[in-house]
Amino acid sequence: MKKYKVAVVGATGAVGLEMIKMLESRKFPVESIKLLASERSAGKTLKYNGKDVKVELLTKDGGKGVEIALFSAGATVSKEFAPFFAADGCFVIDNSSAWRMDKEIPLVVPEVNPHDLKKDKKLIANPNCSTIQMVVALKPLHDYAKIKRVIVSTYQSVSGAGQKGMNELDAQTKAWAKGETIPAANKFQYQIAFNLIPQIDVFTENGYTKEEMKMTNETKKIMGDSSIEVSATCVRVPVFRSHSENVWIETEKPLSPEKTKELLSKAPGIQLMDDPENKKYPMPLYAENMQTTYVGRIRQDISTKGNGITFWVVSDNLLKGAALNAVEIAETLVKNGLV
């Protein structure tokens, strides 16, 4: 089997570290690996397959000789450096928001739209974490019954805000447990421990946040159907890892809970966990560190006449919502002979 020269940009961040783990655990055919980061992290040493790899400083010529680069260093870094990597012939799979809504750049979830990957499209966008897990579940249902409308409420873990988000929840929870003064909010708008914050990212003119509009716009692009109407409410919750979502869909064709379960049970990337009588349903507790999107609580919407279904989706946002999806895109490039 051919092996590939790979780079991870933003290697010392929360998602970058998971990208390295995913390349290892999924046995991606790596010939050589470059770990790249900012000046602050350059010089550190990380492990890859048991061997020490020194983190190098990210530069504009860092893509020379690299065939696939996984970027997770933020939109500003991606906009500055990713085009240089792509110009050197490297496939760039970018986890930031920099390119997601660019009409010329594929926005890919391999279970949904692998056909959007092309040999001449070197820049590839990895979707928003909350969008990825939802569209994995929507795809088989849309293919069968055509989805007209989606209403989703998310319950997003603090790891979606990176290591600083996790550190803030950890520090506030420990202070509360010791009876000490809870540290003031820094990463989030308010105290996150024992609280819910109905704001992720900034508000836009229509009253929705940027995170909510990402779900609307990205879903249409990934599904390849601009007629699907999507309304999202995104909430930050005091959970370290794994996002949860309550999804309601309205379909053109009648869709029963039984048919929904049948379709999802056969869908790639999905594990059905739907046994309410025995209290079996997806939870962040089950999804953490798992490479699966879990779906349960499937039921008919009682406010519609057979064309409404609601369900609960949970997935590890650092894995399927970021690092795993990026590596799966790389695997698809290899499988389809594009790289």
Side-chain angles (χ1 to χ4, degrees), residues 4 7 16 25 47 53 57 62-63 90 100-101 117 126 172 188 201-202 244 273 319 325 330:
Y4 299 87
S25 67
K47 293 281 188 184
V53 181
L57 178 66
C90 174
R100 288 174 183 158
M101 294 315 298
L117 295 171
N126 206 30
Q172 291 177 353
F188 300 111
D201 213 320
V202 298
S244 303
M273 188 180 286
L319 296 186
N325 198 72

Side-chain angles (χ1 to χ4, degrees), residues 51-197:
K51 296 180 180 179
D52 288 338
V53 181
K54 190 174 181 180
V55 178
E56 302 174 41
L57 178 66
L58 172 64
T59 62
K60 290 178 179 178
D61 63 358
K64 292 187 184 300
V66 175
E67 294 167 283
I68 299 172
L70 308 179
F71 267 64
S72 188
T76 301
V77 172
S78 292
K79 286 179 180 178
E80 182 178 356
F81 292 94
F84 289 96
F85 277 63
D88 284 328
C90 174
F91 277 99
V92 174
I93 303 168
D94 180 47
N95 193 55
S96 80
S97 61
W99 315 102
R100 288 174 183 158
M101 294 315 298
D102 188 313
K103 291 180 180 178
E104 298 303 314
I105 293 176
L107 181 67
V108 177
V109 177
E111 295 92 337
V112 181
N113 60 330
H115 51 272
D116 285 343
L117 295 171
K118 307 291 182 185
K119 200 175 186 68
D120 61 341
K121 299 283 187 180
K122 298 298 184 184
L123 268 174
I124 302 161
N126 206 30
N128 190 42
C129 49
S130 51
T131 307
I132 292 174
Q133 66 187 66
M134 183 173 75
V135 297
V136 170
L138 293 183
K139 171 64 173 173
L141 307 181
H142 185 61
D143 286 349
Y144 177 81
K146 187 165 173 50
I147 295 170
K148 294 168 58 179
R149 189 157 61 119
V150 179
I151 298 175
V152 55
S153 294
T154 73
Y155 306 75
Q156 295 179 225
S157 66
V158 294
S159 55
Q163 190 62 50
K164 289 182 180 178
M166 292 188 278
N167 291 346
E168 191 156 306
L169 174 59
D170 182 66
Q172 291 177 353
T173 304
K174 285 178 177 175
W176 178 88
K178 293 175 183 177
E180 299 172 353
T181 301
I182 294 177
N186 182 33
K187 182 62 180 177
F188 300 111
Q189 300 90 343
Y190 296 94
Q191 174 187 316
I192 186 59
F194 313 102
N195 191 28
L196 305 178
I197 303 174

Side-chain angles (χ1 to χ4, degrees), residues 207-279:
Y208 286 78
T209 63
K210 284 180 70 175
E211 182 82 358
E212 291 159 354
M213 292 312 300
K214 285 176 188 175
M215 293 194 75
T216 295
N217 298 325
E218 291 179 20
T219 298
K220 293 171 183 280
K221 182 175 178 180
I222 297 164
M223 299 286 285
D225 190 340
S226 60
S227 71
I228 301 172
E229 300 296 342
V230 182
S231 177
T233 300
C234 295
V235 181
R236 188 73 71 190
V237 299
V239 171
F240 283 105
R241 284 179 70 145
S242 298
H243 291 351
S244 303
E245 298 174 352
N246 183 67
V247 183
W248 176 93
I249 62 171
E250 181 184 9
T251 57
E252 284 191 3
K253 181 178 176 179
L255 184 62
S256 69
E258 294 73 25
K259 187 63 180 180
T260 301
K261 292 176 187 179
E262 177 192 333
L263 293 166
L264 291 173
S265 67
K266 298 174 182 176
I270 294 284
Q271 182 170 329
L272 206 57
M273 188 180 286
D274 195 312
D275 185 5
E277 288 186 6
N278 292 299
K279 302 176 184 176

